[in-house]
């Protein structure tokens, strides 16, 4: 069963064929640490986490590299520092710690390399020098620019071609982010200005532009050509287009083979923006909706479809998640006699359906539909044996790792319930003791207390089980 991926570069679904056999180089655009990450970032982090984990699930050896745009390299940080009157170090360190903390909250795997822009200025300078030597870059009064008219493939990723291919001040873009109408020569190095931080370079004091950062660091850790480069669709132009231009102009080789882009997140049907205030940070969303449900919510929609973040949709996915959790609980508690051959056969069918869906350009939405249907089937086997349940659980654990990452599949995590399993079991033992001693007043009050915490007790002839 081949893995097929939609490649933004070819605008086609292609069979995934890595460059070096089982070893995969994967670069993911990381955050600019000038604020808390929001749920739009969460979507991209979660889908690329799933892609990396699924590649490992298929037996590939993935090297995941991600950048952190820190101190002063980004214009946004400079503005924020002025506004808050803080040092660069204070501001970016705080946001960087928050970013790692948010990653943990979402159960994301740590990249093999987290590279800080400030630690790679030399690599950026070397790349700019190479572009100057090869005639792709030129000096202007305020810095060094990439001449897009010299790179004939400019626009091959986004399809955006500049209207006029002329070198000159009117065709230069100084800011890092610009819209589709202004494809023009972009900045590689900014000369020192005012009290902005700066570095020494052969072309004078200054600091690198944003786009050069990802080219320099990805090639440094993954080589001049690597397998996958991913990001949100907002990164496609100009950021990724410029990365391709700089890298391929410098090396004369293909930069990244597969380009993956996720669609953006709407908030109740509207585009998220700080000025409108319809903006939720990852930490607030986790507190409000729970990590597990948040992760599941994003994977419930295919990554190339726009997703609307609304309470109603979160409740819908929450109900779906409950179905998976209840199947887990059913499997954990299975103690019957039925070594169901029928269910094991259904497990094989489910594996094929589930993996076919994910192999089809990571159609997590369809995979979840198969998963829930199978969960429903499982629970019709009333007398399921421990061995059969174990076989299903083993597969569930593997796919849960891909879908839920490092998060535990427990309702107690979902509802932020703080009662530990050990404590619940101790209370049940106390209750059983009270019952044998016919102290029904005490046993009933223990039952009620547990119910307040969302724990249901089921008494059978010779044992007591519990569930959330
Ligand atoms: Zn980037």
């Amino acid at each position: 069963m081949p893995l097929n991926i939609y490649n933004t570069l070819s605008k086609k679904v292609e069979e995934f064929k890595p460059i070096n056999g089982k070893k995969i180089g994967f670069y993911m655009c990381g955050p600019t640490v000038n604020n808390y990450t929001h749920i739009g970032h969460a979507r991209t982090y979660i889908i690329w986490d799933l892609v990396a984990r699924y590649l490992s699930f298929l037996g590939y050896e993935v090297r995941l590299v991600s950048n952190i745009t820190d101190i002063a390299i980004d214009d946004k940080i400079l503005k924020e520092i002025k506004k808050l009157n803080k040092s660069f170090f204070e501001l970016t360190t705080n946001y960087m710690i928050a970013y790692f903390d948010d990653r943990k909250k979402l159960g994301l795997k740590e990249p093999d390399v987290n590279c800080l822009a400030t630690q790679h200025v030399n690599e950026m300078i070397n790349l700019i020098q190479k572009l100057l030597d090869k005639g792709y870059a030129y000096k202007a009064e305020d810095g060094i620019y990439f001449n897009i008219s010299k790179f004939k493939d400019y626009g091959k990723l986004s399809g955006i071609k500049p209207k006029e291919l002329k070198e000159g001040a009117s065709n230069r873009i100084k800011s890092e982010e610009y819209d589709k109408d202004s494809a023009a020569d972009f900045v590689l190095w900014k000369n020192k200005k005012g009290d902005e931080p700066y570095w020494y370079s052969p072309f004078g004091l200054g600091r690198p532009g944003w786009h050069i950062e990802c080219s320099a660091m990805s090639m440094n850790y993954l080589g001049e050509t690597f397998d996958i480069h991913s990001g949100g669709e907002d990164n496609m132009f100009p950021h990724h287009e410029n990365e391709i231009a700089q890298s391929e102009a410098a090396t004369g080789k293909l930069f990244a083979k597969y380009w993956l882009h996720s669609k953006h997140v709407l908030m109740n049907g509207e585009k998220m923006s700080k000025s409108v205030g319809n903006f939720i940070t990852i930490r607030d969303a986790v507190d409000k909706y729970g990590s597990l449900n948040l992760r599941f919510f994003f994977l419930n929609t295919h990554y190339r479809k726009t997703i609307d973040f609304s309470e109603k949709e979160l409740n819908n996915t929450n109900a779906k998640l409950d179905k998976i959790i209840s199947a887990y609980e059913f499997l954990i508690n299975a103690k019957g006699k039925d070594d169901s051959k029928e269910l094991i056969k259904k497990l094989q069918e489910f594996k094929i359906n589930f993996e076919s869906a994910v192999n089809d350009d990571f159609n997590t939405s369809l995979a979840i539909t198969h998963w829930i249907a199978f969960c429903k089937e499982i629970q019709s086997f009333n007398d399921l044996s421990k061995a059969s349940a174990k076989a299903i659980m083993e597969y569930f654990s593997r796919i849960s790792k891909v879908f839920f990452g490092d998060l535990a599949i427990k309702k107690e995590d979902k509802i932020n319930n703080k009662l530990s399993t050990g404590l619940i079991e101790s209370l049940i033992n106390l209750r059983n003791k009270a019952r044998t001693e016919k102290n029904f007043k005490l046993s009933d009050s223990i039952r009620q207390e547990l119910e307040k915490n969302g724990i249901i007790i089921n008494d059978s002839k010779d044992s007591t089980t519990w569930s959330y």
Side-chain angles (χ1 to χ4, degrees), residues 27 29 67 210 214 239-240 243:
Y27 186 84
C29 279
N67 66 303
W210 171 41
C214 283
H239 186 49
H240 291 163
E243 271 189 56

Side-chain angles (χ1 to χ4, degrees), residues 307-321:
I307 198 165
D308 194 7
F309 193 88
S310 69
E311 203 126 325
K312 196 178 149 213
E313 265 316 301
L314 276 149
N315 288 336
N316 286 342
T317 52
N318 202 21
K320 284 189 182 180
L321 186 55

Side-chain angles (χ1 to χ4, degrees), residues 68-200:
I68 293 171
T69 301
D70 59 343
I71 311 180
I73 293 199
D74 188 276
D75 286 334
K76 281 188 265 180
I77 290 183
L78 289 171
K79 276 189 203 153
E80 190 80 5
I81 281 156
K82 279 211 172 112
K83 203 174 87 189
L84 297 175
N85 195 24
K86 282 196 171 184
S87 75
F88 297 118
F89 183 73
E90 259 181 295
L91 185 87
T92 55
T93 307
N94 286 346
Y95 285 130
M96 201 166 5
I97 291 168
Y99 164 66
F100 287 123
D101 190 39
D102 290 347
R103 289 191 64 89
K104 274 217 166 64
K105 285 192 166 88
L106 295 174
L108 302 165
K109 184 178 176 289
E110 268 314 301
D112 298 283
V113 181
N114 275 302
C115 34
L116 305 188
T118 49
Q119 305 303 308
H120 297 81
V121 177
N122 277 342
E123 285 86 342
M124 298 177 212
I125 290 171
N126 292 342
L127 191 55
I128 296 168
Q129 187 61 58
K130 220 170 178 179
L131 292 169
L132 280 168
D133 294 345
K134 287 188 148 191
Y136 285 102
Y138 62 92
K139 281 185 185 163
E141 60 289 347
D142 56 348
I144 297 172
Y145 286 80
F146 186 90
N147 182 352
I148 58 172
S149 69
K150 287 267 164 74
F151 185 68
K152 63 172 176 34
D153 281 341
Y154 195 85
K156 72 171 173 178
L157 180 74
S158 62
I160 293 160
K161 295 272 183 187
K163 284 182 192 115
E164 264 183 292
L165 289 171
K166 252 194 324 194
E167 190 179 313
S170 60
N171 285 313
R172 257 178 241 147
I173 294 286
K174 288 179 192 175
S175 80
E176 315 273 21
E177 288 174 285
Y178 44 92
D179 56 47
K180 292 173 180 184
D181 300 329
S182 31
D185 294 354
F186 59 89
V187 70
L188 299 169
W189 184 265
K190 299 172 177 190
N191 291 346
K192 180 181 180 296
K193 214 166 62 213
D195 54 1
E196 286 178 8
Y198 59 90
W199 279 262
Y200 287 84

Side-chain angles (χ1 to χ4, degrees), residues 406-453:
D406 295 335
L407 302 176
I409 320 301
K410 289 187 289 192
K411 202 170 268 186
E412 60 187 304
D413 284 10
K414 206 180 79 174
I415 58 175
N416 291 327
N417 196 316
K418 296 286 184 284
L419 276 192
S420 75
T421 307
L423 181 59
I424 295 165
E425 274 157 15
S426 303
L427 286 167
I428 289 174
N429 287 341
L430 271 180
R431 179 176 165 270
N432 288 343
K433 196 162 172 264
R435 285 174 85 210
T436 13
E437 289 164 3
K438 302 209 183 309
N439 185 349
F440 296 114
K441 206 175 155 193
L442 178 62
S443 71
D444 284 348
S445 81
I446 294 174
R447 174 195 278 271
Q448 283 156 14
E449 284 304 312
L450 285 167
E451 271 176 12
K452 276 187 208 160
N453 285 283

Side-chain angles (χ1 to χ4, degrees), residues 338-380:
D338 185 7
D339 273 320
S340 179
K341 291 220 167 59
E342 199 194 331
L343 190 56
I344 295 301
K345 209 181 122 211
K346 281 183 190 288
L347 171 65
Q348 299 311 324
E349 281 167 24
F350 164 63
K351 283 183 185 180
I352 292 167
N353 289 335
F354 185 87
E355 288 169 37
S356 306
V358 189
N359 282 336
D360 180 16
D361 190 32
F362 309 104
N363 192 342
T364 51
S365 172
L366 181 60
I368 287 171
T369 305
H370 290 307
W371 197 353
I372 288 168
F374 184 59
C375 283
K376 204 176 153 198
E377 275 185 322
I378 291 170
Q379 291 174 82
S380 64

